[in-house]
Amino acid sequence: MPRYCLTIEYDGGPYNGLQAQPGQPSVQASMEAAVKGFCGETIRVHAAGRTDSGVHATGQVVHIDLERDWPAETVRNALNAHLRGEPISVLDAALADEDFHARFSAVGRRYLYRILARRSPPALEAGKVWHVRKPLDVEAMALAAQALLGLHDFTTFRDLACQAKSPIKTLDVATVARVGEEVRLVFHARSFLHRQVRSMTGSLVEVGLGRWTPADLAAALEAKDRTRCGPVAPASGLYLTEVVYPG
């Protein structure tokens, strides 16, 4: 059975996360329905990252196995035709090796978090950013983020429902920058704990608001205690932007 690697983008707002759940709209269920409409096959979509309800993606990667060897361009175009009306787009499709796995072959994941830091609420970006009405000290946030880099026990920034076997992760990139009225946070790692990015972001915003110092954030990390985490940032500002594979 030929295996296809698909790069997709989606607005996570209408969905109860990526993973299919009975009676709930999901990205996975919509993709599987599109495949069914295209070629009549009932298949399982395998994703690189299981984004939560309301989380968006501009570079999610999934793979599917089909019975027939279709041209990759046909797969992309047909799926987009059957996804019409849904905020999901197949950006690219390519034949993949039979041992490729969207999740287990990945060696890196990259996330962007968008904060709209202004008094007035968003009219065009509602549901796509976290609206913070007070000014943020971006320099303090950037300084605090440096404490998160490297190998750590991220229990403080790990959701209690996280199913990962270990809280130990290596964070390769953690940057904070102002872009116009937005504050954008970028995180790169091989993998992340459940809600780790949103937990780190919420705590960094505490620094930006002056409620925490950079030292407070470092101390929270070292405490390895979930109760020391700041408020968890909302899903609306988070984007999975890229999945990295060897080569």
Side-chain angles (χ1 to χ4, degrees), residues 85-127:
E86 300 240 22
I88 304 172
S89 178
V90 180
L91 304 178
D92 183 67
L95 277 167
D97 294 337
E98 62 180 14
D99 61 350
F100 170 83
H101 194 286
R103 180 183 177 190
F104 299 120
S105 298
V107 297
R109 292 162 178 83
R110 297 175 178 176
Y111 283 90
L112 165 68
Y113 197 98
R114 297 174 60 200
I115 299 169
L116 181 64
R118 72 181 191 194
R119 188 68 180 173
S120 300
L124 302 179
E125 296 286 348

Side-chain angles (χ1 to χ4, degrees), residues 32-107:
E32 290 171 357
V35 172
K36 179 79 170 179
F38 158 45
C39 61
E41 297 181 38
T42 301
I43 58 95
R44 177 60 68 187
V45 169
H46 300 273
R50 297 177 181 177
T51 52
D52 283 342
S53 176
V55 175
H56 316 294
T58 58
Q60 173 74 276
V61 175
V62 305
H63 80 256
I64 58 174
D65 295 329
L66 301 179
E67 294 180 3
R68 178 176 167 182
D69 191 356
W70 298 89
E73 185 176 355
T74 297
V75 173
R76 182 196 65 195
N77 294 342
L79 291 180
N80 281 331
H82 286 278
L83 287 165
R84 193 166 293 132
E86 300 240 22
I88 304 172
S89 178
V90 180
L91 304 178
D92 183 67
L95 277 167
D97 294 337
E98 62 180 14
D99 61 350
F100 170 83
H101 194 286
R103 180 183 177 190
F104 299 120
S105 298
V107 297

Side-chain angles (χ1 to χ4, degrees), residues 61-223:
V61 175
V62 305
H63 80 256
I64 58 174
D65 295 329
L66 301 179
E67 294 180 3
R68 178 176 167 182
D69 191 356
W70 298 89
E73 185 176 355
T74 297
V75 173
R76 182 196 65 195
N77 294 342
L79 291 180
N80 281 331
H82 286 278
L83 287 165
R84 193 166 293 132
E86 300 240 22
I88 304 172
S89 178
V90 180
L91 304 178
D92 183 67
L95 277 167
D97 294 337
E98 62 180 14
D99 61 350
F100 170 83
H101 194 286
R103 180 183 177 190
F104 299 120
S105 298
V107 297
R109 292 162 178 83
R110 297 175 178 176
Y111 283 90
L112 165 68
Y113 197 98
R114 297 174 60 200
I115 299 169
L116 181 64
R118 72 181 191 194
R119 188 68 180 173
S120 300
L124 302 179
E125 296 286 348
K128 305 294 192 300
V129 295
W130 178 13
H131 180 215
V132 176
R133 293 173 175 81
K134 296 181 179 180
L136 294 174
D137 185 338
V138 174
E139 290 72 24
M141 294 172 68
L143 177 61
Q146 299 311 295
L148 301 170
L149 290 172
L151 178 69
H152 298 286
D153 180 329
F154 281 98
T155 294
T156 299
F157 304 109
R158 178 190 194 187
D159 190 85
L160 293 175
C162 181
Q163 297 179 352
K165 294 180 180 179
S166 170
I168 307 297
K169 294 291 179 183
T170 299
L171 188 62
D172 300 313
V173 171
T175 64
V176 184
R178 188 180 301 279
V179 181
E181 292 183 315
E182 288 189 23
V183 175
R184 295 185 179 180
L185 296 84
V186 174
F187 300 98
H188 297 179
R190 184 181 184 92
S191 61
F192 291 87
L193 300 167
H194 188 207
R195 293 186 179 163
Q196 180 183 347
V197 172
R198 290 168 58 194
S199 296
M200 294 187 298
T201 297
S203 294
L204 286 167
V205 166
E206 291 295 283
V207 175
L209 291 170
R211 296 170 181 162
W212 288 17
T213 66
D216 290 332
L217 186 135
L221 172 66
E222 290 302 315

